[in-house]
Amino acid sequence: MDLQKRLLWMTCLFALALTLAATVQALPTRVGHLEVELVSPVRTVQPGQPFEVGLHFTLDDHWHLYWQNPGDAGLPPKMTWSLPDGFVVEPIRWPIPEKTITPPLASYGYSHELIVPLRITPPPTLAVGQTVTLSGKASWLVCREECVPGDAQLSLMLEVADHLQPDSIWAPKFAAIQYPSEADFAVQSDFDGTHFQLRFPLPDKSTAALVLAEFYSGDRGVIDHIASQPISIVDGSVQLTIPKNEYLIDRPDSLQGLLVLTNSDSTKSYVQFVSSLSEDQPVAVTATTTETSFWQAILFAFIGGLILNLMPCVLPVLSLKILGFVNHADATHTKPLHHGMIFTAGVLVSFWLLAGTLLFLKAGGEQLGWGFQLQSPIFLVVITSFIFLFGLNLLGLFELGTSFASAGAVAAGKTGFGGSFLNGVTATIVATPCTAPFMGSALGYSLAQPAWIAMLIFTSIALGMAAPYLALSASPKLLRYVPRPGRWMETFKQFLGFVLLATVLWLLWVLGIQIGTAGLIFILAALLLLAVAGWIIGRWDTLVATTRAKLLARGSALVLAAAALVIGISGASFENVAVATRSNEKGAIAWETFTPERVEELRTAGKPIFIDFTAAWCLSCQVNEKVAFSSADVQQRFLDLGIVPLKADWTARDQVIAQALARFGRNSVPLYVLYHNSATEPILLPEILTPGIVLEALNSITDLPANNSPTRQVTIHGEEPLKERS
Amino acid sequence: MKKLLSMALGLLMLSTALVASDATAPETVQTATVDKAAPNFTLTDVNGKTHSLSDFKGKFVVLEWVNFDCPFVKKHYGAKNMQTLQAAYTKKEVVWLSICSSNKGKQGYFEGKELTDRITAEGHSASAYLIDTDGKVGKLYGAKTTPNMYVINPEGVLIYAGAIDNTPSPNPDDIKTSTNYVAAALDAAMAGKPVAVKTSAPYGCGVKY
């Protein structure tokens, strides 16, 4: 009996000791796909002194827990405390989450390991020497593809002492928790019923340049978590536009959460803020995002369209049109005005088609700019083949009309309205590489606007481009001054054939950069087949040929053209392995390849930088390079000033360059940026350069004191005042 | 020449199409909006019968995004909350459509006998269990979680979208103390009163598209 009693006592004591040991050591508990325990960076607590505890989760691979705002799905971990009397617990201070995107959902959470820290203040009346037990029920949702809710009863025993004794294991772990920093600047917010707008000052220039900003809402159901958040820089402040959550109806009182700022050196900073939504301030969502106004943009677009006709891109087509007018001048039976209008329609429709495609793709989040279609090798192959065939046709290899005499007129679009329409289409397509450089700011402005404004601006460019033809065709009197048709036309037509072949050369050069020599050989083979097809048509599909011969000729030409198409498209799928080599190919200026990191490095080092945003398909970029950068004076000045020249080559699609362009309010090349040093705003040069313009810009930085950063307006060229931003 | 023209135009169109397709732009779908007409759709139910939303004009329709293996769905099915709602409102002529947008191989996707057995085991009492394997209807409605609820009035207007109730948790004990938004919307609309809460951020597991 006695023995039994003693045994019972001993068992009880042993069990008690075990329990105590377990709670003191706070062994992690395994629940489902994670281990959880309650931990603290201190071993002792001091009366009245706040201390931290944390839920420590160790997750299995691929599983994650959620942030305070889980995003579109999920649930944050929770702790329900049962604390001794007088203990006060503060809300969770959330560590920095990661954003995970699995379309159409986005979520914010944590993987691998997480400490959810809480601050507890014990009462000052706590007696030193006693032991306190902190306990509660932790619950969470842990997800991979699937989700599993879990909970655990957790406790932690801490001794009360007259000081806080740090725990050697947990103190460093708590110190290493990555928290967002508190905003040391004001964040203004607005809401217009569909979009939130956040504005905050551009971070200090001495730190790396800001390239990306994103807002993680701390509250559920406020913002559209997956939508892109367009960024613009206005008057030294950054403006983010964020679509509202589809489930949000009532205007929230405030916005709170994190600003995630990505710098050019790829470092990220997380800034926490609360911003009350102003009640009475109406939001000016788009009007202030760029300095170009709507009417200014429309006007620039029209004038730009007019001047486009003189650009090297459009000249071959222009010549064809002149040929057409020569014919119309004499032909009383056709109505030139009709042809002029059809031509205008051709230009309009193709501008709408290109702009529409661009806007559609942009709406889908693509980083594209004007001239985007020239970044697609397939598009280039098709346009090259088309111009090549057109050239051969003008050279007389084959005639598709039935009468030899009308051939010139056919090519010039006399015989059919289809010809005039196609001339319009061709002119537009050939013009795009020139369009982009010429109207950089108008295009940049238009693409930041709602789609209908963008379309209006494109319409204005198209009308500007078609205006001279329309004027000529509307007033037949003017046509009298054009030379009369005659034998010279045949000569002129053949000459134009060579102009088109020269255009083909240029397109092949652009293609070569994108697809390399191996790909280029395929394209040339395709062109060869097309030429043979054209020759067969010209040789055997003639008036004097028998029907059988004609059919045979057409059949084999068709087979050859189909083969050319297949070969051309397979050639277009090649990739150029040596894309980067273009940056160093010519001239005395030793161009380096542009990266945002390099820019930051150089700016920090206080070196002046010149960035050339260019592309092989951008004709004016090539002209600028030839004219301005091959000048010995310019090259010497570059050396004298120790300017580091960086070349950003946008020939092929490139997200980094697209984003860098966007930071300057542009989405097209060329763009020339001159940084003096980290302390000054960069200078933007005009889109058409002369050695004089470059030298003037270079000189202007020599007399700038190092920490002078005024907002300067430099008008060097007539087109527009230069804007300076960073 | 005409032939060359049409061929060239054809090639141009083709190349534009190629440019467009190679850019992998996400589909821009107009998702369902409260107070606007609910977009029509047609889906096949577990028995192979097709149902279109337009078939139910003149009736209240509830859309319930379901995934039996999601803990938040388990919360409402395990506690018989969802089945009770389904039974109560289908009795009042409401058409209750449960829609599963889980992709093949993802959680919540079942087929054949496994699916019919599961539906029976869960005591599913809705008008139909619709299968949306390619997620088209889910994305059309912007369904983000399971459960995600939508109420459509007899005129075809979406009158409620969002969570089933106001307590985002997987704990069945919370159902008793929660306000059920779907029931509230249906009751109000049936009584000719305005719906007090028209949307709320849905909670639950992500739809397994």
Side-chain angles (χ1 to χ4, degrees):
Chain A
M1 197 66 178
D2 209 41
L3 184 71
Q4 268 190 338
K5 242 187 189 168
R6 271 166 69 183
L7 267 176
L8 190 68
W9 267 110
M10 276 172 72
T11 319
C12 283
L13 278 173
F14 186 63
L16 188 69
L18 265 184
T19 329
L20 281 176
T23 43
V24 169
Q25 285 173 8
L27 284 176
T29 316
R30 173 111 212 153
V31 189
H33 302 280
L34 52 75
E35 283 182 1
V36 60
E37 61 191 311
L38 191 59
V39 295
S40 174
V42 291
R43 297 174 72 94
T44 59
V45 299
Q46 194 183 342
Q49 281 302 311
F51 64 97
E52 278 189 303
V53 294
L55 295 168
H56 176 235
F57 292 97
T58 313
L59 293 127
D60 289 356
D61 284 349
H62 311 300
W63 290 83
H64 49 266
L65 291 164
Y66 293 95
W67 187 47
Q68 63 182 101
N69 169 20
D72 287 321
L75 212 62
K78 208 171 94 177
M79 182 75 179
T80 315
W81 287 105
S82 46
L83 293 173
D85 282 347
F87 278 66
V88 179
V89 61
E90 286 170 33
I92 294 170
R93 190 175 160 211
W94 293 95
I96 293 167
E98 296 163 59
K99 184 174 181 178
T100 312
I101 294 175
T102 43
L105 308 174
S107 57
Y108 308 96
Y110 309 93
S111 46
H112 306 302
E113 191 181 10
L114 168 69
I115 293 177
V116 180
L118 297 122
R119 221 168 131 89
I120 294 182
T121 310
T125 52
L126 215 55
V128 172
Q130 75 173 112
T131 305
V132 290
T133 306
L134 311 171
S135 58
K137 189 176 132 185
S139 55
W140 60 85
L141 182 73
V142 61
C143 298
R144 186 174 58 182
E145 261 290 318
E146 60 271 35
C147 300
V148 184
D151 57 58
Q153 197 68 44
L154 303 172
S155 61
L156 175 68
M157 282 172 84
L158 294 169
E159 253 180 73
V160 182
D162 53 3
H163 65 289
L164 289 171
Q165 187 198 341
D167 182 285
S168 57
I169 295 168
W170 289 106
K173 290 209 176 202
F174 271 74
I177 298 176
Q178 300 278 314
Y179 291 111
S181 56
E182 292 290 334
D184 55 0
F185 48 82
V187 180
Q188 286 182 303
S189 57
D190 276 318
F191 182 52
D192 69 353
T194 57
H195 289 83
F196 293 99
Q197 203 169 54
L198 288 178
R199 271 186 309 279
F200 54 95
L202 195 59
D204 190 358
K205 306 249 174 20
S206 59
T207 63
L210 180 73
V211 289
L212 210 66
E214 200 182 355
F215 172 56
Y216 293 0
S217 167
D219 296 310
R220 278 178 76 231
V222 175
I223 66 164
D224 186 340
H225 300 113
I226 201 165
S228 59
Q229 306 179 356
I231 176 174
S232 54
I233 296 169
V234 186
D235 300 333
S237 64
V238 183
Q239 191 164 284
L240 270 185
T241 306
I242 308 142
K244 80 168 185 85
N245 191 286
E246 57 182 305
Y247 294 100
L248 180 80
I249 281 199
D250 295 329
R251 182 191 174 91
D253 299 327
S254 63
L255 280 188
Q256 60 104 3
L258 303 183
L259 275 175
V260 184
L261 308 174
T262 309
N263 299 313
S264 54
D265 57 1
S266 313
T267 56
K268 283 191 174 187
S269 51
Y270 297 82
V271 181
Q272 184 172 293
F273 73 94
V274 182
S275 169
S276 58
L277 272 177
S278 41
E279 190 66 57
D280 41 349
Q281 261 179 288
V283 187
V285 179
T286 48
T288 57
T289 50
T290 64
E291 285 100 81
T292 313
S293 79
F294 173 68
W295 291 111
Q296 205 182 359
I298 291 273
L299 187 71
F300 277 156
F302 187 84
I303 298 173
L306 265 178
I307 299 174
L308 263 185
N309 286 303
L310 303 174
M311 289 284 136
C313 325
V314 197
L315 271 173
V317 185
L318 180 78
S319 320
L320 281 179
K321 247 350 251 183
I322 292 172
L323 206 61
F325 282 125
V326 171
N327 279 296
H328 298 321
D330 203 38
T332 46
H333 61 283
T334 52
K335 290 188 178 137
L337 180 61
H338 286 180
H339 281 280
M341 280 159 67
I342 300 282
F343 173 83
T344 309
V347 175
L348 273 174
V349 166
S350 16
F351 258 96
W352 288 337
L353 207 71
L354 279 174
T357 313
L358 177 61
L359 290 172
F360 174 77
L361 294 178
K362 274 193 93 82
E366 288 286 311
Q367 295 278 351
L368 293 175
W370 191 246
F372 71 99
Q373 72 277 29
L374 294 164
Q375 292 175 337
S376 158
I378 289 181
F379 182 89
L380 282 170
V381 167
V382 172
I383 197 74
T384 308
S385 311
F386 172 58
I387 293 179
F388 179 67
L389 272 182
F390 212 171
L392 292 183
N393 177 250
L394 290 184
L395 285 170
L397 181 72
F398 63 97
E399 309 288 350
L400 283 164
T402 43
S403 141
F404 182 81
S406 70
V410 166
K414 180 195 166 191
T415 47
F417 286 132
S420 286
F421 187 83
L422 191 67
N423 265 330
V425 174
T426 319
T428 308
I429 288 166
V430 183
T432 43
C434 281
T435 316
F438 204 76
M439 286 156 295
S441 60
L443 284 170
Y445 167 80
S446 75
L447 290 170
Q449 301 301 308
W452 68 272
I453 293 189
M455 287 312 263
L456 269 182
I457 288 168
F458 284 112
T459 307
S460 185
I461 300 174
L463 289 177
M465 194 171 128
Y469 306 110
L470 208 55
L472 262 182
S473 58
S475 161
K477 276 183 199 161
L478 289 174
L479 289 173
R480 283 198 212 122
Y481 300 103
V482 184
R484 306 195 137 264
R487 266 187 60 81
W488 68 269
M489 271 178 59
E490 188 62 18
T491 316
F492 184 53
K493 183 177 74 89
Q494 286 171 356
F495 168 72
L496 284 182
F498 291 111
V499 175
L500 286 183
L501 290 187
T503 312
V504 167
L505 282 189
W506 164 61
L507 287 167
L508 286 175
W509 177 60
V510 176
L511 259 171
I513 289 164
Q514 291 179 4
I515 62 178
T517 326
L520 205 56
I521 260 318
F522 277 75
I523 311 301
L524 290 169
L527 293 186
L528 179 64
L529 286 181
L530 281 180
V532 175
W535 172 67
I536 288 174
I537 292 287
R539 180 73 183 76
W540 285 285
D541 186 10
T542 58
L543 279 179
V544 290
T546 61
T547 318
R548 205 179 110 89
K550 275 186 196 170
L551 282 178
L552 208 64
R554 286 178 196 178
S556 37
L558 206 66
V559 170
L560 284 171
L565 188 73
V566 172
I567 293 175
I569 287 178
S570 47
S573 62
F574 277 70
E575 257 179 56
N576 189 359
V577 277
V579 175
T581 54
R582 214 178 78 82
S583 45
N584 263 326
E585 68 191 4
K586 64 182 170 193
I589 297 174
W591 297 100
E592 278 182 40
T593 306
F594 163 88
T595 62
E597 294 78 26
R598 180 75 179 133
V599 172
E600 213 31 60
E601 193 184 316
L602 291 166
R603 290 194 65 192
T604 319
K607 293 236 174 89
I609 315 165
F610 188 92
I611 313 173
D612 172 13
F613 288 91
T614 179
W617 41 261
C618 158
L619 271 191
S620 42
C621 302
Q622 308 313 320
V623 174
N624 286 341
E625 274 163 31
K626 215 63 237 124
V627 173
F629 300 132
S630 61
S631 143
D633 290 346
V634 170
Q635 290 171 2
Q636 193 53 48
R637 206 80 184 107
F638 262 77
L639 288 177
D640 291 349
L641 294 171
I643 290 173
V644 182
L646 300 179
K647 187 164 281 192
D649 190 337
W650 207 33
T651 303
R653 208 167 279 173
D654 187 323
Q655 294 267 347
V656 176
I657 295 177
Q659 279 168 10
L661 281 169
R663 290 195 49 234
F664 294 103
R666 297 296 175 89
N667 68 353
S668 58
V669 286
L671 174 67
Y672 304 99
V673 182
L674 176 62
Y675 281 102
H676 180 209
N677 58 32
S678 57
T680 50
E681 301 275 332
I683 296 172
L684 306 193
L685 274 65
E687 286 138 5
I688 304 292
L689 294 183
T690 62
I693 293 172
V694 180
L695 286 173
E696 193 181 332
L698 294 181
N699 289 337
S700 75
I701 67 167
T702 56
D703 44 49
L704 268 185
N707 20 341
N708 178 13
S709 61
T711 304
R712 297 173 66 240
Q713 289 274 320
V714 186
T715 310
I716 300 179
H717 197 250
E719 200 209 339
E720 54 166 330
L722 290 172
K723 295 178 285 280
E724 296 178 354
R725 311 183 207 158
S726 65
Chain B
M1 189 64 197
K2 277 223 172 108
K3 243 180 284 164
L4 179 65
L5 290 186
S6 51
M7 200 177 87
L9 266 180
L11 281 175
L12 271 180
M13 296 299 161
L14 179 76
S15 64
T16 314
L18 285 168
V19 171
S21 63
D22 105 326
T24 61
E27 287 172 69
T28 41
V29 281
Q30 185 64 50
T31 54
T33 315
V34 167
D35 288 337
K36 299 246 168 78
N40 191 32
F41 62 85
T42 304
L43 283 176
T44 309
D45 72 12
V46 59
N47 304 315
K49 194 169 170 250
T50 55
H51 301 269
S52 292
L53 181 63
S54 52
D55 300 344
F56 307 117
K57 241 195 170 141
K59 287 185 175 177
F60 280 96
V61 180
V62 174
L63 307 181
E64 170 215 343
W65 258 265
V66 67
N67 167 359
F68 288 136
D69 282 342
C70 159
F72 295 86
V73 175
K74 281 186 178 160
K75 164 189 176 184
H76 292 283
Y77 273 90
K80 300 280 169 215
N81 181 42
M82 196 67 91
Q83 302 93 317
T84 311
L85 287 169
Q86 290 166 348
Y89 286 101
T90 45
K91 213 174 268 174
K92 294 182 189 172
E93 299 283 286
V94 172
V95 178
W96 188 296
L97 304 173
S98 304
I99 301 176
C100 178
S101 295
S102 291
N103 208 335
K104 243 185 187 137
K106 298 271 181 93
Q107 193 193 56
Y109 175 82
F110 308 102
E111 54 189 333
K113 193 165 170 336
E114 196 190 354
L115 177 56
T116 46
D117 286 354
R118 192 66 192 262
I119 287 171
T120 318
E122 296 289 346
H124 185 255
S125 322
S127 314
Y129 179 100
L130 304 177
I131 300 159
D132 179 38
T133 311
D134 60 9
K136 266 197 187 138
V137 177
K139 286 170 187 165
L140 179 66
Y141 273 76
K144 299 239 163 92
T145 65
T146 49
N148 196 344
M149 312 295 296
Y150 298 84
V151 181
I152 299 160
N153 75 8
E155 286 76 48
V157 173
L158 186 64
I159 56 170
Y160 176 77
I164 180 165
D165 61 28
N166 63 346
T167 314
S169 85
N171 185 357
D173 296 341
D174 294 332
I175 295 174
K176 294 184 287 280
T177 54
S178 306
T179 306
N180 191 296
Y181 290 137
V182 177
L186 282 169
D187 293 345
M190 283 172 162
K193 287 181 202 152
V195 175
V197 180
K198 289 181 181 177
T199 66
S200 63
Y203 67 86
C205 316
V207 176
K208 309 295 184 239
Y209 287 114

